[in-house]
Amino acid sequence: MALLVQKYGGTSVGTIERIEAVAEKIIGYKEQGNDMVVVVSAMSGETNRLTDLARQINPKVRGRELDVLLTTGEQVTIALLAIALEKRGFHARSYTGGQVKILTDNAHNKARILSIDAGNIDKDLKKGRIVVVAGFQGVDEHGNITTLGRGGSDTTGVALAAALKADECQIFTDVDGVYTTDPRVVAEARRLDQITFEEMLEMASLGSKVLQIRAVEFAGKYDVPLRVLSSFEEGQGTLITSESNEEDTVEQAVISGIAFNRDEAQLTINGVPDTPGVAFQILGPISDANIEVDMILQNIGGDGTTDFTFTVHRNDFETALTKLQETSEKLGARVCSGNNKIVKLSIVGVGMRSHAGIASRMFEILAKEGINILMISTSEIKISVVVDEKYLELGVRALHDGFDLAEYDEEAAE
Ligand code: ADP
Ligand code: ASP
Ligand code: MG
């Protein structure tokens, strides 16, 4: 007998029929003798719908009251799922994050889980109940409702699995695992049997929204066995592991996957004095405005001046540009400009550590397609480039092809 924590995403609980199908699926696992804790998201589109409602009142809405609103989405699905389980003769108990209690810090809209009181859940499991928990939400030390950031139900699932020492955390979604890249962009993308935490963390950080970044961080930190599976099809999905599988030569490819991020915007300031403290003068006001900077590039100065380029989330573009214009005037910069029609393409793989020439191969593939690279950044296991947004699909497909990541087609090979 095992203890399983399963998380079902928005599409998986998107209609009453699907919620009933999820109930059947859970019962299947329960009847095999497993203890079941289930985390659910809001029905697909619901979190967006609620956000839109609030934005109709205040386009810049954020903070406490937004959290009170958004958490209602998940409260609906926990109750509906528990009703579906009870109808089938199974004892179920639904809980909001606050009821569990999933304690978070007070950073509304992007709170971090601090601790989980697993006592009530344990008691329910001992009584043979199926426990259904609302994803994406918690409560701070003063009892205020918080949310964990978009995609946060994944993190609820992993955190519960860690707290309960579950045998596995299973993330059920609308794809049957983690692919070499988003299968909605590249139809030939291949499902990975396994991927390391390290690679999955890079993929998630670089834009692959199949798992929330914090969920992967949490799973890595607490060694939670984590698997991504389809809600709609049978299959073993993708296991996220701490080690790469030596046996499987395909998994040993230098590049494991390609990620992309549409949420980037680029800002540039040209002809600023090349003196100590300039980077701080430029980025200080950006960070004071609570804007996170992603990539940063500074030219080697020549005539006593230098150029400085950085990227931010597209939502922060206007604010960042206003701040930069102010700095530009103070520093007497030559030009200050911005571009919010850019994207970031990244290749990820632990194999890069032991292989040289991957970056130049990447640049060659993009050059062949006539794609101009605007910025480059690298780490031990990833290379990212910023390109014009019109090249997103072309770039991802070319890289996927160029690094031979496509599904091996036996028939075509014969
Ligand atoms: P859920 O609502 O179940 O949490 P998400 O939409 O958050 O589902 O995540 C699943 C989606 O992630 C898929 O439909 C797919 O388009 C996207 N995705 C992006 N990159 C990948 C990848 N490398 N492998 C699989 N899916 C990916
Ligand atoms: N419902 C939330 C969202 O859409 C949380 C989640 O689905 O993981 O972001
Ligand atoms: Mg998700």
Side-chain angles (χ1 to χ4, degrees):
M1 194 174 87
L3 168 56
L4 300 180
V5 174
Q6 298 187 333
K7 176 256 172 177
Y8 291 87
T11 318
S12 315
V13 294
T15 62
I16 293 298
E17 292 71 33
R18 287 189 172 171
I19 290 174
E20 301 227 44
V22 165
E24 297 281 348
K25 210 172 163 85
I26 294 165
I27 287 167
Y29 285 95
K30 175 83 181 149
E31 286 185 328
Q32 285 166 17
N34 300 300
D35 278 339
M36 300 300 297
V37 176
V38 183
V39 173
V40 281
S41 291
M43 294 167 90
S44 59
E46 181 63 7
T47 309
N48 287 343
R49 189 186 74 85
L50 293 167
T51 308
D52 283 350
L53 288 179
R55 284 194 183 146
Q56 284 177 39
I57 299 171
N58 174 4
K60 290 195 171 161
V61 63
R62 51 196 295 181
R64 185 184 188 280
E65 302 315 322
L66 184 62
D67 281 348
V68 173
L69 176 69
L70 294 188
T71 49
T72 61
E74 271 74 10
Q75 192 167 341
V76 169
T77 39
I78 53 168
L80 291 174
L81 181 58
I83 290 167
L85 289 164
E86 296 249 311
K87 183 179 85 175
R88 287 164 174 78
F90 286 77
H91 295 296
R93 272 286 166 97
S94 68
Y95 294 104
T96 62
Q99 285 176 315
V100 166
K101 132 178 198 184
I102 298 179
L103 185 72
T104 71
D105 60 20
N106 61 2
H108 283 289
N109 314 150
K110 52 173 188 218
R112 278 183 182 270
I113 296 177
L114 300 174
S115 67
I116 294 185
D117 181 353
N120 281 337
I121 296 181
D122 271 335
K123 275 188 214 146
D124 281 331
L125 291 176
K126 288 209 174 76
K127 288 181 185 152
R129 289 174 180 153
I130 298 170
V131 178
V132 183
V133 179
F136 174 58
Q137 54 180 264
V139 73
D140 74 5
E141 60 173 334
H142 302 295
N144 298 299
I145 293 172
T146 55
T147 62
L148 310 178
R150 295 307 301 266
S153 299
D154 295 337
T155 304
T156 308
V158 174
L160 272 172
L164 294 162
K165 300 193 173 48
D167 293 281
E168 192 163 277
C169 178
Q170 303 175 333
I171 306 285
F172 286 89
T173 182
D174 55 4
V175 280
D176 63 350
V178 177
Y179 277 68
T180 45
T181 193
D182 190 339
R184 290 180 208 283
V185 171
V186 179
E188 297 77 29
R190 182 170 51 84
R191 184 181 57 78
L192 300 164
D193 283 333
Q194 48 176 273
I195 182 168
T196 64
F197 281 116
E198 214 183 352
E199 289 169 313
M200 193 62 238
L201 192 58
E202 284 286 7
M203 291 279 282
S205 309
L206 295 167
S208 298
K209 291 181 180 142
V210 58
L211 284 175
Q212 200 199 31
I213 304 169
R214 283 185 187 166
V216 187
E217 263 169 15
F218 226 101
K221 189 165 165 195
Y222 296 99
D223 232 341
V224 177
L226 180 63
R227 193 182 287 276
V228 176
L229 302 134
S230 165
S231 291
F232 309 115
E233 293 165 33
E234 292 298 312
Q236 52 154 0
T238 300
L239 185 66
I240 327 289
T241 67
S242 36
E243 279 155 49
S244 55
N245 186 353
E246 306 270 324
E247 312 272 291
D248 187 338
T249 49
V250 178
E251 302 289 327
Q252 281 299 292
V254 182
I255 304 302
S256 300
I258 296 169
F260 52 84
N261 192 344
R262 293 187 168 95
D263 300 328
E264 301 255 337
Q266 179 185 300
L267 296 108
T268 303
I269 186 164
N270 296 100
V272 288
D274 190 13
T275 50
V278 159
F280 174 63
Q281 273 177 285
I282 295 170
L283 294 180
I286 304 288
S287 110
D288 290 345
N290 263 330
I291 297 175
E292 262 179 54
V293 172
D294 180 16
M295 290 162 95
I296 304 175
L297 195 132
Q298 190 190 331
N299 268 354
I300 297 172
D303 53 355
T305 69
T306 187
D307 306 329
F308 203 90
T309 302
F310 57 97
T311 63
V312 298
H313 194 285
R314 250 186 226 197
N315 292 348
D316 294 322
F317 177 65
E318 311 290 341
T319 319
L321 192 57
T322 311
K323 295 276 163 207
L324 193 63
Q325 272 153 354
E326 286 164 17
T327 311
S328 171
E329 277 165 34
K330 267 192 218 149
L331 293 176
R334 203 167 49 239
V335 194
C336 166
S337 59
N339 180 1
N340 63 354
K341 305 244 176 303
I342 54 139
V343 289
K344 184 167 74 175
L345 312 182
S346 308
I347 58 176
V348 174
V350 284
M352 264 186 230
R353 285 198 181 114
S354 48
H355 288 76
I358 305 301
S360 60
R361 175 93 193 99
M362 180 185 195
F363 306 151
E364 184 188 10
I365 294 167
L366 296 172
K368 276 197 181 133
E369 301 295 335
I371 300 175
N372 190 33
I373 299 171
L374 304 172
M375 287 176 89
I376 300 169
S377 105
T378 64
S379 78
E380 221 187 352
I381 65 162
K382 72 115 205 262
I383 303 164
S384 300
V385 296
V386 168
V387 301
D388 192 300
E389 69 175 8
K390 70 177 178 227
Y391 294 128
L392 185 131
E393 276 85 7
L394 178 65
V396 173
R397 287 204 192 102
L399 291 170
H400 199 266
D401 242 34
F403 283 106
D404 288 328
L405 294 180
E407 187 77 71
Y408 182 67
D409 187 343
E410 280 174 27
E411 274 176 32
E414 274 169 15

